[in-house]
Amino acid sequence: MEPSAQLGFSLQPLLEQLSQDELSQFKSLLRSLSPQEELQHIPVTEVEEADGKQLAEILTNRCPSHWVEMVTIQVFDKMNQTDLSERAKDELMGFTRTSEPKCANLEETQQCAKGKEPGWSVLERAKPQLPHPVLSSAPSFSLTQVQGEDVPNPEAAKEVLEGEKPGKQDKYRSVLKEKVQQIWKNFWPGASENIHTVTQRYETQIPFCNPKMLGGPFPHTVVLHGPAGVGKTTLAKKCTLDWTQDSLAQTRRVAFYLSGKVLSRKGTCSFAELLAESAPDPQRALPQVLAQAHKLLLVIDAFEELRGPWCTGALEHDLGGDWRTRRPAPVLLGSLLKRKLFPTATLLVTTRPEALRELRLLVQQPLLVEMEGLSERDRRAYFLRHLGEEAQALRAFQLMRSNSALFRMGAAPAVCWMACTCLRLQMAEGADPRPTCQTATSLLLHFLCSRFAPARGQGPGPHLAAALQALCLLAAEGTWAQTSAFDGLDLRRLGVHESDLRPFLDRGILQKDRDTGGCYRFVHLSIQHFLAAALCVLGSEGHQDAGNPVWHAGGVQRLLSKEEGFKNPHLAPVGRFLFGLANEKRARKLATTFGCPVSTEFKRELLECTVRSPEHRPFSSVTDTKETLYCLYESQEEQLVKEAMAQVTEVSLHLEDTSDLVHASFCLKHCDRLQKMWLRVAKGTFLENDTAWGSEAQADRFRNDQYVLPFWMDLLSVFDSNKSLVFLDISQSFLSTSSVKLLCEKIDSAPHNLQKVVLKNTFPADTYRNFCVVFCGHETLTHLTLQGNDQSDMLPVLCEILTHPQCKLQYLRLVSCSVTPQQWAHLSCSLRISQSLTCLNLTGIELREESAKLLCTSLRHPKCFLQRLSLEDCHLTKACCKELSSALIVNQRLTHLCLAKNALGDGGVKLLCEGLSYPDCQLQGLVLWYCSITSSGCNYLSTLLQQNSSLTHLDLGLNHIGFTGLKFLCEALKKPTCNLKCLWLWGCAITPFCSGVLSSALGSNQSLVTLDLGQNSLGYSGVKMLCDTLKLQRCSLRTLRYDSPAAHGVSSRMVGL
């Protein structure tokens, strides 16, 4: 570890202000904020035993100054030592502002560069003293006088440190500004005047671009992340331009732009050589610029281009801080991102979402700025500008807006440009533009074909088919390689000539980027994905000899495999476009426009790889279902969808927006064998029916209903076409009054055979009541679960269901329902009338004493047919147990009773045992989980079990029964009159001392087959004793659960017995 230079503030007096306890806290936090090697080389005991003065000396002399400055202030902030933190910041900021060297002549310039000036900036002195390397492969400049080096070109050095000659910087800025504007000129009319409109929303989030944000004493690492084409590169170049705008010589700042694609091609070099290639004037004295790192902005654009196995490993090893040492380019980049290289420089990195996680593992404390592209207002303005005539522009905008998936893509200006380009032509010709905006495939196909529409009476050009095949090959290669920039090396490897690309360059489908060494890029990533999919449509004649083995290694199966999809996020959109191009009409349009043969024979393989494959099971999870429906919708091929849905019997839908609803409705209306359906509708899919909204909001809701409800009706057609549908679960859903009305009408009128219905946490609140009205009198309904929301107005209708002569309801679950005493009275009466209800679950409903009495009165009634009753977490007390006990005495049908999570106590158990002890009681299962039971309660239960009780299943989990309680239970287990088969003692404070008693009981018991001892500390000896008992032939136990980590090895042996 290099020794530190002088700090920008006095650390010792600050640390001496801390008390002994505060100093200990400072040291502890210091370690927690040192994830790497800053403190690893210093013995822990040396730091722990140091007082304030000694700790200051350790940090000042043996750690990097920039790290000490940063972490000291962070620790003070975490300790709420605001005064000390502010003192350090004030000293540091003042020191930095006043410590710039003033070089009146060359001699002073050289002295300043050597670091001999007493007022030299702390940010410069933080750099370590480096050796004297030779830049053998950088002949364009020589080392000048920087930190002790020789200066062969003193005039150049003087000009760099004092400021460039008039006109030089302005020329550089002019060139850079032109590059920034070039990006937008094809997409936004009047781009040169509107760059600020595009970038201002995000510039305010970047500290060095926003004068209102406090810069702070530390350098920044800013990460711009977002999908392709939303303006990350434009904003990065704009920041580069703004960084250099200060014309004062003493504050002149320098910025460098580095392309990820260029870096991915670089071999071994020094960082100085990298910057020399990107500098506007490589003959300048670059080392002097690097010497003032605090004035340096380094932009790394398109980090995702660096992704790959070779690059990932290289970035994490062999890092260093010497910018003149030759290393692989990824290692240099890793050193820069991890602040080993130029720790005082400002970094700006752009990346797409798929590489963000990898980048975050490299950068330290980054400021993340998510770029979403054009807002809805921006997109509307774009259509108005580009299409000119307002009525046409608004119609085109509404078409785009009606497809939420396509509208999200429109956040990228390039997509808006493509949409406007083809929609304008269609509307000018009087054609219906609606099919164009139906899917992304249709939009991009229309755009591509419109750019090559032949003159009337003429066919496609003679070489157009070959050019398209070359372009598709390039797109496919980039998809597998996860790159969107292609240089000459890529073209030569694939056998693609630049002349093949000329037609697409001329029509704006391809662009040539000078900042990435003349690389080619598609106008938007979606076009690349589309053309990669088109390679399959072109058939074997199109690319058999193209020399691309990667594309053919597995074909469609590899493209659609989950394993490949996890590794490469580009494959999913290509798969969707492949489904889109499976449409015969679209394939013919592609063939007609480009004069090339096409084939859709791959449709069979699409179905085999997605829907019919037992390995994929596309409808086995919400994620797979969503993607499969998306792909099928993209095809717009009804016959393909029918074949895909023919075997579907279960489906789980999570409708997060209107696009999901559109996709699901298109596919499920072709499904006729559905048996089970789970449905979840996210908030915003339907606009809530809030009467307090203003007239404008009500109008929005009306327009939303006009668009969404027809698709909702198509989805509901599953009730008409699927007579075998027996299970419906609607949970966590935000519906609207209109959608609920349509749903209930369809369920009421359709010839379905629904048997089990679940409604959980669904809005609006009257959905529950409407559902109950629909199912009143339905003979097929046997199971009904109603959970969440305010269900008070639902209970009267529910009582009507139970008392209806055609009611066949067997299972009713009401969870967290607010019920009045009068409503309980009606429900209790219904229990006496219903002859079908055998299971009632009232979990989470507060039963007051009066309500509990009413329920127990029904249980005592001879016409009550309940067999299973759950009163979990119903706020029952000891007083309620007396009523329950009396009901158990006379009720001969109830076999299972759950009283979990009620504070019954030992007194309540005693009262229950009194009722259970009667010979007419038929209760077999009793759940007393977490009921505040101790050893005394176990004593009552032990007595009951020894009396030939009907009880066969007992759950005492999470009750602190301890050794004494277990001893009572074991006494019962030893008796031949004990009929207990299953005993749960999870988390009951059972210790190793209990093992002997338990082993003895298990050795003599002939009925117990299941025992749960989870979350108890039996220890190795206790578990071994149980194992020895299990080996005895007379032991009846078949299942023993014990999940203590300490006995993992022994547990494995137990399972094998």
PDB file of all heavy atoms in Angstrom, residues 751-765:
ATOM      1  N   PRO A 751     -71.996 -21.774 -19.622  1.00  0.00           N
ATOM      2  CA  PRO A 751     -72.250 -23.165 -19.200  1.00  0.00           C
ATOM      3  C   PRO A 751     -71.001 -23.820 -18.603  1.00  0.00           C
ATOM      4  O   PRO A 751     -70.542 -24.855 -19.087  1.00  0.00           O
ATOM      5  CB  PRO A 751     -72.660 -23.840 -20.511  1.00  0.00           C
ATOM      6  CG  PRO A 751     -71.897 -23.093 -21.564  1.00  0.00           C
ATOM      7  CD  PRO A 751     -71.815 -21.674 -21.087  1.00  0.00           C
ATOM      8  N   HIS A 752     -70.455 -23.244 -17.574  1.00  0.00           N
ATOM      9  CA  HIS A 752     -69.248 -23.785 -16.959  1.00  0.00           C
ATOM     10  C   HIS A 752     -69.618 -24.733 -15.814  1.00  0.00           C
ATOM     11  O   HIS A 752     -70.784 -24.863 -15.448  1.00  0.00           O
ATOM     12  CB  HIS A 752     -68.382 -22.641 -16.428  1.00  0.00           C
ATOM     13  CG  HIS A 752     -69.078 -21.790 -15.414  1.00  0.00           C
ATOM     14  ND1 HIS A 752     -69.196 -22.154 -14.094  1.00  0.00           N
ATOM     15  CD2 HIS A 752     -69.714 -20.606 -15.541  1.00  0.00           C
ATOM     16  CE1 HIS A 752     -69.861 -21.230 -13.442  1.00  0.00           C
ATOM     17  NE2 HIS A 752     -70.189 -20.266 -14.298  1.00  0.00           N
ATOM     18  N   ASN A 753     -68.603 -25.363 -15.248  1.00  0.00           N
ATOM     19  CA  ASN A 753     -68.814 -26.270 -14.120  1.00  0.00           C
ATOM     20  C   ASN A 753     -67.869 -25.931 -12.971  1.00  0.00           C
ATOM     21  O   ASN A 753     -67.230 -26.819 -12.399  1.00  0.00           O
ATOM     22  CB  ASN A 753     -68.603 -27.719 -14.563  1.00  0.00           C
ATOM     23  CG  ASN A 753     -69.672 -28.186 -15.542  1.00  0.00           C
ATOM     24  OD1 ASN A 753     -70.846 -28.249 -15.204  1.00  0.00           O
ATOM     25  ND2 ASN A 753     -69.259 -28.477 -16.768  1.00  0.00           N
ATOM     26  N   LEU A 754     -67.761 -24.659 -12.639  1.00  0.00           N
ATOM     27  CA  LEU A 754     -66.864 -24.228 -11.573  1.00  0.00           C
ATOM     28  C   LEU A 754     -67.216 -24.917 -10.257  1.00  0.00           C
ATOM     29  O   LEU A 754     -68.366 -24.909  -9.820  1.00  0.00           O
ATOM     30  CB  LEU A 754     -66.926 -22.712 -11.399  1.00  0.00           C
ATOM     31  CG  LEU A 754     -66.115 -21.878 -12.388  1.00  0.00           C
ATOM     32  CD1 LEU A 754     -66.371 -20.399 -12.172  1.00  0.00           C
ATOM     33  CD2 LEU A 754     -64.621 -22.175 -12.244  1.00  0.00           C
ATOM     34  N   GLN A 755     -66.181 -25.493  -9.638  1.00  0.00           N
ATOM     35  CA  GLN A 755     -66.360 -26.168  -8.360  1.00  0.00           C
ATOM     36  C   GLN A 755     -65.642 -25.451  -7.227  1.00  0.00           C
ATOM     37  O   GLN A 755     -66.145 -25.404  -6.102  1.00  0.00           O
ATOM     38  CB  GLN A 755     -65.845 -27.609  -8.471  1.00  0.00           C
ATOM     39  CG  GLN A 755     -66.572 -28.457  -9.484  1.00  0.00           C
ATOM     40  CD  GLN A 755     -65.952 -29.824  -9.642  1.00  0.00           C
ATOM     41  OE1 GLN A 755     -65.105 -30.230  -8.838  1.00  0.00           O
ATOM     42  NE2 GLN A 755     -66.346 -30.561 -10.673  1.00  0.00           N
ATOM     43  N   LYS A 756     -64.461 -24.911  -7.526  1.00  0.00           N
ATOM     44  CA  LYS A 756     -63.680 -24.233  -6.491  1.00  0.00           C
ATOM     45  C   LYS A 756     -63.385 -22.806  -6.945  1.00  0.00           C
ATOM     46  O   LYS A 756     -62.820 -22.604  -8.026  1.00  0.00           O
ATOM     47  CB  LYS A 756     -62.380 -24.990  -6.221  1.00  0.00           C
ATOM     48  CG  LYS A 756     -62.587 -26.402  -5.695  1.00  0.00           C
ATOM     49  CD  LYS A 756     -61.257 -27.092  -5.421  1.00  0.00           C
ATOM     50  CE  LYS A 756     -61.481 -28.502  -4.884  1.00  0.00           C
ATOM     51  NZ  LYS A 756     -60.187 -29.190  -4.594  1.00  0.00           N
ATOM     52  N   VAL A 757     -63.733 -21.831  -6.110  1.00  0.00           N
ATOM     53  CA  VAL A 757     -63.537 -20.417  -6.430  1.00  0.00           C
ATOM     54  C   VAL A 757     -62.818 -19.749  -5.268  1.00  0.00           C
ATOM     55  O   VAL A 757     -63.211 -19.915  -4.098  1.00  0.00           O
ATOM     56  CB  VAL A 757     -64.877 -19.705  -6.715  1.00  0.00           C
ATOM     57  CG1 VAL A 757     -64.651 -18.212  -6.929  1.00  0.00           C
ATOM     58  CG2 VAL A 757     -65.559 -20.311  -7.935  1.00  0.00           C
ATOM     59  N   VAL A 758     -61.762 -18.997  -5.583  1.00  0.00           N
ATOM     60  CA  VAL A 758     -60.986 -18.274  -4.588  1.00  0.00           C
ATOM     61  C   VAL A 758     -60.964 -16.803  -4.975  1.00  0.00           C
ATOM     62  O   VAL A 758     -60.624 -16.448  -6.116  1.00  0.00           O
ATOM     63  CB  VAL A 758     -59.541 -18.807  -4.500  1.00  0.00           C
ATOM     64  CG1 VAL A 758     -58.735 -17.990  -3.494  1.00  0.00           C
ATOM     65  CG2 VAL A 758     -59.541 -20.275  -4.129  1.00  0.00           C
ATOM     66  N   LEU A 759     -61.308 -15.937  -4.028  1.00  0.00           N
ATOM     67  CA  LEU A 759     -61.274 -14.488  -4.248  1.00  0.00           C
ATOM     68  C   LEU A 759     -60.511 -13.861  -3.093  1.00  0.00           C
ATOM     69  O   LEU A 759     -60.980 -13.857  -1.956  1.00  0.00           O
ATOM     70  CB  LEU A 759     -62.701 -13.932  -4.320  1.00  0.00           C
ATOM     71  CG  LEU A 759     -62.843 -12.480  -4.786  1.00  0.00           C
ATOM     72  CD1 LEU A 759     -62.355 -12.316  -6.209  1.00  0.00           C
ATOM     73  CD2 LEU A 759     -64.283 -12.011  -4.664  1.00  0.00           C
ATOM     74  N   LYS A 760     -59.291 -13.344  -3.378  1.00  0.00           N
ATOM     75  CA  LYS A 760     -58.428 -12.815  -2.323  1.00  0.00           C
ATOM     76  C   LYS A 760     -57.977 -11.406  -2.657  1.00  0.00           C
ATOM     77  O   LYS A 760     -57.515 -11.125  -3.760  1.00  0.00           O
ATOM     78  CB  LYS A 760     -57.175 -13.683  -2.150  1.00  0.00           C
ATOM     79  CG  LYS A 760     -57.408 -15.074  -1.607  1.00  0.00           C
ATOM     80  CD  LYS A 760     -56.076 -15.800  -1.447  1.00  0.00           C
ATOM     81  CE  LYS A 760     -56.245 -17.205  -0.924  1.00  0.00           C
ATOM     82  NZ  LYS A 760     -54.940 -17.909  -0.804  1.00  0.00           N
ATOM     83  N   ASN A 761     -58.123 -10.513  -1.676  1.00  0.00           N
ATOM     84  CA  ASN A 761     -57.548  -9.163  -1.762  1.00  0.00           C
ATOM     85  C   ASN A 761     -57.813  -8.526  -3.119  1.00  0.00           C
ATOM     86  O   ASN A 761     -56.900  -8.129  -3.847  1.00  0.00           O
ATOM     87  CB  ASN A 761     -56.043  -9.222  -1.495  1.00  0.00           C
ATOM     88  CG  ASN A 761     -55.707  -9.854  -0.167  1.00  0.00           C
ATOM     89  OD1 ASN A 761     -56.375  -9.611   0.836  1.00  0.00           O
ATOM     90  ND2 ASN A 761     -54.685 -10.691  -0.141  1.00  0.00           N
ATOM     91  N   THR A 762     -59.078  -8.431  -3.453  1.00  0.00           N
ATOM     92  CA  THR A 762     -59.487  -7.906  -4.747  1.00  0.00           C
ATOM     93  C   THR A 762     -60.318  -6.643  -4.566  1.00  0.00           C
ATOM     94  O   THR A 762     -61.132  -6.542  -3.647  1.00  0.00           O
ATOM     95  CB  THR A 762     -60.292  -8.974  -5.515  1.00  0.00           C
ATOM     96  OG1 THR A 762     -59.444 -10.111  -5.741  1.00  0.00           O
ATOM     97  CG2 THR A 762     -60.771  -8.456  -6.848  1.00  0.00           C
ATOM     98  N   PHE A 763     -60.086  -5.687  -5.462  1.00  0.00           N
ATOM     99  CA  PHE A 763     -60.804  -4.418  -5.450  1.00  0.00           C
ATOM    100  C   PHE A 763     -61.577  -4.276  -6.771  1.00  0.00           C
ATOM    101  O   PHE A 763     -61.148  -4.819  -7.792  1.00  0.00           O
ATOM    102  CB  PHE A 763     -59.819  -3.256  -5.285  1.00  0.00           C
ATOM    103  CG  PHE A 763     -59.091  -3.270  -3.969  1.00  0.00           C
ATOM    104  CD1 PHE A 763     -57.919  -3.991  -3.826  1.00  0.00           C
ATOM    105  CD2 PHE A 763     -59.583  -2.562  -2.879  1.00  0.00           C
ATOM    106  CE1 PHE A 763     -57.248  -4.018  -2.621  1.00  0.00           C
ATOM    107  CE2 PHE A 763     -58.916  -2.577  -1.677  1.00  0.00           C
ATOM    108  CZ  PHE A 763     -57.747  -3.306  -1.534  1.00  0.00           C
ATOM    109  N   PRO A 764     -62.710  -3.556  -6.737  1.00  0.00           N
ATOM    110  CA  PRO A 764     -63.325  -2.824  -5.629  1.00  0.00           C
ATOM    111  C   PRO A 764     -63.991  -3.761  -4.606  1.00  0.00           C
ATOM    112  O   PRO A 764     -64.159  -4.954  -4.868  1.00  0.00           O
ATOM    113  CB  PRO A 764     -64.357  -1.936  -6.321  1.00  0.00           C
ATOM    114  CG  PRO A 764     -64.680  -2.664  -7.575  1.00  0.00           C
ATOM    115  CD  PRO A 764     -63.426  -3.348  -8.008  1.00  0.00           C
ATOM    116  N   ALA A 765     -64.366  -3.177  -3.468  1.00  0.00           N
ATOM    117  CA  ALA A 765     -64.845  -3.979  -2.344  1.00  0.00           C
ATOM    118  C   ALA A 765     -66.123  -4.743  -2.667  1.00  0.00           C
ATOM    119  O   ALA A 765     -66.345  -5.842  -2.159  1.00  0.00           O
ATOM    120  CB  ALA A 765     -65.070  -3.069  -1.126  1.00  0.00           C
TER     121      ALA A 765
END
